[in-house]
Amino acid sequence: MHKAVTSQVDWSAIREDFPILRQEVRGHDLIYFDSAASSQKPRPVIEALRNFYEHDNANVHRGLHTLSGRATDAYEHARQRVAEYIGAANPDEIIFTRGTTESINLVAQAWGEKFIREGDVILLTVMEHHSNLVPWQLLAERKGAHLRFLPVLDDGTLDVDQLSSFLTPEVKLFAFTHISNSLGTINPVADLCAKARAVGAVTLVDAAQSAGHMRVDVQELGCDFLAFSGHKMCAPTGIGVLHGRAELLDSMPPWHGGGEMIVSVALENSTFKKPPHRFEGGTPNIAGAIGLAAAIDYIEMIGRPAIFEHDSQLAHYAADRLTELPGTRVFGPKEERGALVGFVMDAAHPHDLTTFADQYGLAMRGGHHCNQPLMRRFGVSGTTRASFYFYNTIEEIDRMIEILHAAVHFFSPKERRSPVHPLS
Ligand SMILES: Cc1ncc(COP(=O)(O)O)c(C=O)c1O
């Protein structure tokens, strides 16, 4: 196994914390290159969930008994940990949701219903994930607002030179991704937020692909809203975060009515709690929040700068080695890239390629990655994506290249096949 890419961290020891990686799939060692879809979970996170269910499980906020008190403390401690992790001014700026998708829908519905009017413009980019696109389409349709899209250049970066012509005073919201889940592009968030603020636009940053991989500090970024998912950063599925600046959250009406979010209820009307509880109607994902806090502890134990360095080294190495393969087109910026690489090969459709790879225990993703407009922009129906995290190794990438060589051999017409099988 490849020892330390970054000298201070023993990556092999870290990898040992992920029991799921120690298995064979179809008779081969599992190589998990699908962390952009969902990451694996380290033992301390699994143990935190187990500990909660074995010792403290009860509903939060409404019980006067000991277990409910413990569950509430652990849940609110998790909110505090998230606030520290992203540099929020106050834990009350942290709303627990099911994930990035729900966080963005919360803003589109609660903030958007109140503040977006007919003729207003919502600015997005061509590289947005469907979850940072469809909620705004629905809002624009309800309100008679317009959508605008900042273009993406051939190298996979945003066309920031055009920003001033897109960011006019009619723009009420600029929502964009921190890291593209198909291209790996890292957008200049602080700069984009500053420019949006200068025209009075509110900003929303989709941090789904960045929160677990690099330092994300809402004060430094200067964003108004930030959304991310726990499951892409070592935490369980079904837990995510919306960060909103306090004055914005205070100005927003509730979106889900129900228990927990009210102060008092009469038959005809109700009064509501302050944020964040105003936006957390019903029983929340208590264990999920506790798991997210454990994931944050784990990530911070390694250190986000080391994780970023490790993951981007893997992504650059993979992007370089992919160019060795015949008929392969690699997407995304050459200079700076997040922890993933998307590519297409003349040899086979992404679905066939990923199915072939699975025969050798290699888990990748093939398709449009919830980026259909971006795929269209690059003239493809989909790509194959290999995405990495700190438990992956250079050796695994070397093995991926071998498997892809074998795919070229397998999918090429018999008469053009080399007599030597690349995996023999
Ligand atoms: C950039 C980006 N935004 C949003 C999402 C949606 O995240 P979730 O499905 O966890 O809500 C994803 C998930 O792949 C993503 O990569």
Side-chain angles (χ1 to χ4, degrees):
M1 181 172 299
H2 185 78
K3 260 283 178 195
V5 175
T6 309
S7 50
Q8 318 85 295
V9 181
D10 183 351
W11 298 107
S12 319
I14 296 284
R15 186 180 161 98
E16 291 302 306
D17 284 338
F18 290 80
I20 200 169
L21 297 176
R22 242 177 288 137
Q23 67 174 293
E24 289 194 348
V25 167
R26 299 183 187 275
H28 300 272
D29 287 345
L30 167 67
I31 300 179
Y32 187 75
F33 281 175
D34 198 19
S35 294
S38 199
S39 79
Q40 297 302 348
K41 322 300 173 199
R43 212 182 285 284
V45 170
I46 298 168
E47 276 163 11
L49 297 176
R50 187 189 162 112
N51 186 59
F52 171 69
Y53 282 122
E54 286 189 353
H55 299 285
D56 303 327
N57 177 52
N59 211 332
V60 289
H61 297 139
R62 41 184 126 166
L64 293 176
H65 59 80
T66 301
L67 292 196
S68 177
R70 276 195 224 143
T72 304
D73 287 349
Y75 182 70
E76 292 302 328
H77 168 76
R79 198 188 303 281
Q80 172 76 40
R81 284 300 285 128
V82 172
E84 289 160 2
Y85 186 71
I86 60 167
N90 188 317
D92 291 345
E93 294 188 333
I94 304 300
I95 299 162
F96 285 123
T97 63
R98 283 193 297 133
T100 309
T101 305
E102 190 172 79
S103 298
I104 296 172
N105 276 278
L106 195 170
V107 178
Q109 288 177 38
W111 179 87
E113 280 302 326
K114 184 164 171 190
F115 293 104
I116 293 291
R117 305 215 160 80
E118 192 174 348
D120 285 346
V121 174
I122 297 164
L123 178 60
L124 306 169
T125 84
V126 173
M127 67 169 71
E128 296 316 309
H129 187 280
H130 296 167
S131 55
N132 197 24
L133 183 54
V134 182
W136 307 117
Q137 292 174 346
L138 295 172
L139 176 67
E141 204 172 298
R142 285 198 300 274
K143 294 292 189 164
H146 306 292
L147 301 176
R148 259 183 216 161
F149 302 95
L150 190 65
V152 174
L153 297 169
D154 289 344
D155 69 356
T157 59
L158 286 176
D159 191 354
V160 283
D161 290 346
Q162 286 208 55
L163 188 59
S164 55
S165 60
F166 281 80
L167 204 47
T168 56
E170 304 81 64
V171 176
K172 293 293 174 290
L173 177 90
F174 183 17
F176 55 92
T177 192
H178 192 170
I179 297 184
S180 161
N181 61 300
S182 286
L183 303 169
T185 317
I186 305 175
N187 289 322
V189 175
D191 191 40
L192 298 178
C193 288
K195 291 193 166 117
R197 208 167 37 246
V199 299
V202 164
T203 48
L204 181 146
V205 176
D206 172 352
Q209 294 297 341
S210 59
H213 290 266
M214 64 189 287
R215 199 174 134 75
V216 172
D217 183 302
V218 292
Q219 314 292 340
E220 283 169 16
L221 298 178
C223 54
D224 294 306
F225 293 108
L226 183 108
F228 60 95
S229 303
H231 70 97
K232 294 182 196 287
M233 48 177 287
C234 299
T237 48
I239 187 74
V241 170
L242 173 68
H243 168 264
R245 274 199 305 108
E247 64 195 79
L248 280 166
L249 294 181
D250 282 340
S251 72
M252 286 159 52
W255 77 313
H256 286 164
E260 296 297 314
M261 44 78 77
I262 51 85
V263 174
S264 76
V265 177
L267 281 179
E268 303 289 343
N269 48 42
S270 306
T271 56
F272 306 112
K273 284 186 178 157
K274 287 181 190 312
H277 299 108
R278 184 189 298 165
F279 302 107
E280 292 181 3
T283 300
N285 183 350
I286 307 161
I290 291 166
L292 177 57
I296 286 175
D297 290 344
Y298 190 82
I299 287 171
E300 292 203 321
M301 182 267 295
I302 304 172
R304 278 176 283 177
I307 292 173
F308 181 75
E309 189 188 341
H310 174 277
D311 295 351
S312 52
Q313 278 184 25
L314 290 191
H316 278 107
Y317 181 73
D320 284 349
R321 289 227 50 202
L322 280 166
T323 59
E324 293 168 16
L325 292 156
T328 301
R329 177 179 170 201
V330 177
F331 296 87
K334 287 207 168 36
E335 299 307 317
E336 211 193 21
R337 79 162 54 235
L340 59 93
V341 56
F343 57 97
V344 289
M345 295 176 73
D346 293 344
H349 185 277
H351 287 166
D352 296 327
L353 212 52
T354 44
T355 306
F356 178 88
D358 184 59
Q359 303 304 307
Y360 295 93
L362 168 58
M364 297 190 292
R365 188 154 289 248
H368 55 66
H369 316 295
C370 300
N371 271 146
Q372 284 184 0
L374 183 68
M375 295 295 133
R376 244 170 255 131
R377 152 71 182 85
F378 283 98
V380 292
S381 61
T383 66
T384 303
R385 182 181 71 186
S387 56
F388 315 111
Y389 212 1
F390 51 77
Y391 38 70
N392 292 124
T393 67
I394 292 281
E395 284 75 10
E396 288 179 319
I397 293 173
D398 291 338
R399 176 69 181 160
M400 172 184 80
I401 299 295
E402 278 173 20
I403 293 168
L404 292 174
H405 270 298
V408 173
H409 175 88
F410 179 82
F411 289 109
S412 56
K414 277 205 174 60
E415 61 282 6
R416 295 221 309 267
R417 267 186 210 169
S418 129
V420 187
H421 191 286
L423 288 178
S424 57

